[in-house]
Amino acid sequence: MSKFIINGGKKLEGEVKVEGSKNAVLPILAASLINGGESIIHNIPRLKDVSILTNVLENIGCKVLFNGNTMVVNSKGELNTNIPERPVKEMRSSIILMGAVLGRFKHVRISYPGGCEIGPRPIDLHLKGLRKLGVNIIESHGYIVCQYDKLIGKEIHLDYPSVGATENIMLAAVSAEGTTIIQNAAREPEIIDLQNFLNKTGAKITGAGSSTIKILGTNRFHNAEHTVIPDRIVAGTYLTAAAITGGKLVLQDIIVEHLKPLISKLIESGCKIEKYDKTIIIKSPKRLNAVEMIRTLPYPGFPTDMQAQFMSLMSIAKGTSVFVETVFENRYKHAEELVKMGAKIKLDGRTAVVRGIRKLTGAQLTAKDLRGGAALVLAALAAEGVSYIDNNDNHIERGYEDFDIKLKGLGADIIKVIV
Ligand code: UD1
């Protein structure tokens, strides 16, 4: 376990390069199983979640070379279609291996991922979609066993635009006979990146980024090379870090389009934003105005993965903000920690009312999930005095590469200690 010690009150200033997207790289790594050959993937962030998935790939028989931020995955030959249980329990998104392994080998056995810190997280939509393609699924004793004789393209209407379900269905459907159409698909940028990677391996997918994705099945795949998109949530977290400390930051290697839902809220609260091709500059005033309403929604709505960080920001803004978390059931665990710092937050189910105060004060805190942990770091950067953040299960490191080092480079007084 690690702990962050932060002496707050320093304005962040300088330039930061945003790493590759965690949520794009995980399905792309799963997709690298499909071509039965070599995939060269650049801009991979060095994160705990990436090493968990890489270990699974090696464990089932892939050869993996990871050098700097480039990974070469060789998925040639027979692989083990029984996915080891531990990584799936440790990292829920390992379920993304299901569609890829199944599409290539007609069989997969994977343990049920179960709930996590932010809610129950069912996978019924993943399974419903795969069943529609002709997969026979047996769920027993905590395992899911999937197999089929023939995978046949079908029209699948998702009841909710789930990111994981859209990805798992795409990963299986690329190998199906005929055409699959996913209606009400998730529209997140990470889905477009998965489409782009899969198409480089020989798949025939169109429509990602819209709510209708069309996949023409094939059995001809080949080697591919790809560069992962920048992480919009990491970028959003640094923008919010600048905003909360009254600082000025230049973010490099970003895609402005992906940040629009967040940028509009930052402008509403009083930040000045300059947008260039792959660069964005944020200047924050001394004190921000509260944003009346923050409702999390699937992309292109305000991202649930930025709700916690934005709550830290609003806790010292001028006025009252109302948050409505529509995506996950249990995603306000950071609120009780912010209250320890003096924040005035009232929770009622999926709604949080935040009355902005002038200053937060340093406290002894615990990161209970990844983004909630990042939110506490931001709050501590702005607070008066010293905060100690227990990074339980290394939550924060699951999603931010060298977070403490990069923040220190921008002027933060932060140290990480291993306990
Ligand atoms: C992905 C992201 C996560 C982000 C989330 C929403 C990755 C690795 N993780 O998670 O960071 O917060 O999208 O943007 O990309 N649901 C069901 N049944 C299902 C699937 C989902 O009811 O079969 C529900 C979930 O419980 C949740 C909502 O749908 O309430 C959204 O989940 P989903 O879009 O699937 O998120 P993930 O893919 O798990």
Side-chain angles (χ1 to χ4, degrees):
M1 195 178 93
S2 61
K3 187 194 272 280
F4 291 105
I5 304 173
I6 299 172
N7 187 10
K10 312 275 182 299
K11 272 187 189 181
L12 293 199
E13 276 180 356
E15 199 172 303
V16 65
K17 183 182 168 310
V18 174
E19 65 248 28
S21 159
K22 168 179 89 70
N23 287 355
V25 84
L26 298 176
I28 287 174
L29 285 179
S32 69
L33 279 170
I34 295 172
N35 63 1
E38 197 174 83
S39 302
I40 304 172
I41 309 161
H42 304 289
N43 203 28
I44 299 200
R46 289 207 160 254
L47 299 172
K48 193 179 163 206
D49 278 10
V50 170
S51 37
I52 294 175
L53 199 64
T54 310
N55 287 342
V56 184
L57 291 178
E58 289 178 321
N59 206 294
I60 62 174
C62 294
K63 305 254 178 309
V64 180
L65 278 173
F66 197 7
N67 195 354
N69 293 98
T70 293
M71 194 181 284
V72 182
V73 182
N74 194 324
S75 59
K76 209 167 150 198
E78 281 303 306
L79 304 180
N80 184 355
T81 58
N82 295 307
I83 311 296
E85 183 173 349
R86 233 183 95 198
V88 184
K89 293 278 179 243
E90 207 179 344
M91 185 182 73
R92 193 194 171 277
S93 24
S94 325
I95 197 69
I96 203 65
L97 289 164
M98 185 167 62
V101 173
L102 185 63
R104 179 161 168 214
F105 294 105
K106 298 188 171 187
H107 171 270
V108 67
R109 181 178 181 267
I110 191 162
S111 69
Y112 211 88
C116 74
E117 305 80 16
I118 59 176
R121 308 195 76 167
I123 54 162
D124 55 314
L125 301 172
H126 304 228
L127 301 181
K128 202 169 155 187
L130 294 174
R131 280 198 174 102
K132 198 105 198 249
L133 297 178
V135 180
N136 177 25
I137 302 175
I138 300 166
E139 296 170 75
S140 78
H141 304 291
Y143 282 93
I144 306 164
V145 182
C146 306
Q147 51 203 2
Y148 62 86
D149 292 327
K150 263 191 177 181
L151 203 60
I152 310 278
K154 282 274 160 52
E155 186 164 325
I156 298 166
H157 187 279
L158 290 178
D159 298 329
Y160 182 88
S162 151
V163 174
T166 304
E167 292 168 344
N168 247 332
I169 296 166
M170 285 167 78
L171 288 163
V174 290
S175 308
E177 277 179 32
T179 303
T180 300
I181 295 175
I182 311 175
Q183 304 279 17
N184 197 26
R187 295 159 62 192
E188 271 66 4
E190 294 75 25
I191 308 272
I192 306 180
D193 211 29
L194 177 61
Q195 165 182 284
N196 291 344
F197 172 75
L198 282 167
N199 283 349
K200 286 177 186 168
T201 69
K204 296 179 175 60
I205 312 175
T206 51
S210 78
S211 9
T212 305
I213 300 178
K214 192 169 167 186
I215 305 147
L216 226 66
T218 180
N219 52 15
R220 291 184 179 203
F221 294 98
H222 44 74
N223 296 347
E225 187 163 357
H226 183 74
T227 300
V228 174
I229 55 168
D231 196 310
R232 64 193 165 99
I233 304 302
V234 169
T237 303
Y238 283 112
L239 288 175
T240 312
I244 203 168
T245 60
K248 178 182 168 189
L249 287 188
V250 180
L251 266 64
Q252 300 286 12
D253 285 1
I254 49 109
I255 298 176
V256 172
E257 180 70 26
H258 297 171
L259 296 170
K260 278 190 172 162
L262 177 71
I263 290 173
S264 79
K265 290 290 174 206
L266 287 168
I267 293 174
E268 210 177 312
S269 67
C271 293
K272 297 264 178 292
I273 305 246
E274 290 171 40
K275 296 173 260 177
Y276 301 95
D277 183 23
K278 291 183 178 170
T279 305
I280 193 163
I281 302 175
I282 178 167
K283 288 180 205 158
S284 171
K286 263 205 177 130
R287 192 165 181 213
L288 293 165
N289 296 317
V291 166
E292 269 178 27
M293 171 67 95
I294 298 102
R295 185 187 296 274
T296 66
L297 285 169
Y299 189 85
F302 189 91
T304 174
D305 285 354
M306 280 303 304
Q307 176 258 106
Q309 302 88 313
F310 217 78
M311 188 175 286
S312 295
L313 186 62
M314 289 300 101
S315 65
I316 53 164
K318 210 186 302 166
T320 299
S321 313
V322 177
F323 286 73
V324 182
E325 172 56 64
T326 77
V327 181
F328 288 107
E329 267 174 49
N330 191 11
R331 209 169 190 180
Y332 285 140
K333 287 192 179 158
H334 46 280
E336 61 201 55
E337 300 300 298
L338 290 173
V339 166
K340 290 182 190 161
M341 305 176 85
K344 300 275 178 259
I345 304 175
K346 290 263 179 284
L347 298 180
D348 185 5
R350 287 175 180 254
T351 303
V353 178
V354 181
R355 187 154 56 83
I357 55 166
R358 282 209 162 264
K359 272 255 171 270
L360 295 170
T361 45
Q364 189 88 41
L365 307 164
T366 303
K368 294 181 178 164
D369 60 71
L370 160 58
R371 304 301 168 188
L376 299 182
V377 170
L378 301 194
L381 290 174
E384 212 166 60
V386 180
S387 297
Y388 303 85
I389 305 173
D390 284 336
N391 183 20
N392 272 353
D393 299 327
N394 297 329
H395 282 308
I396 301 169
E397 267 118 349
R398 285 187 37 228
Y400 297 88
E401 190 182 63
D402 298 332
F403 202 30
D404 54 317
I405 297 170
K406 288 185 181 173
L407 288 171
K408 199 180 282 191
L410 300 172
D413 184 348
I414 176 170
I415 52 170
K416 185 171 91 175
V417 286
I418 307 295
V419 286

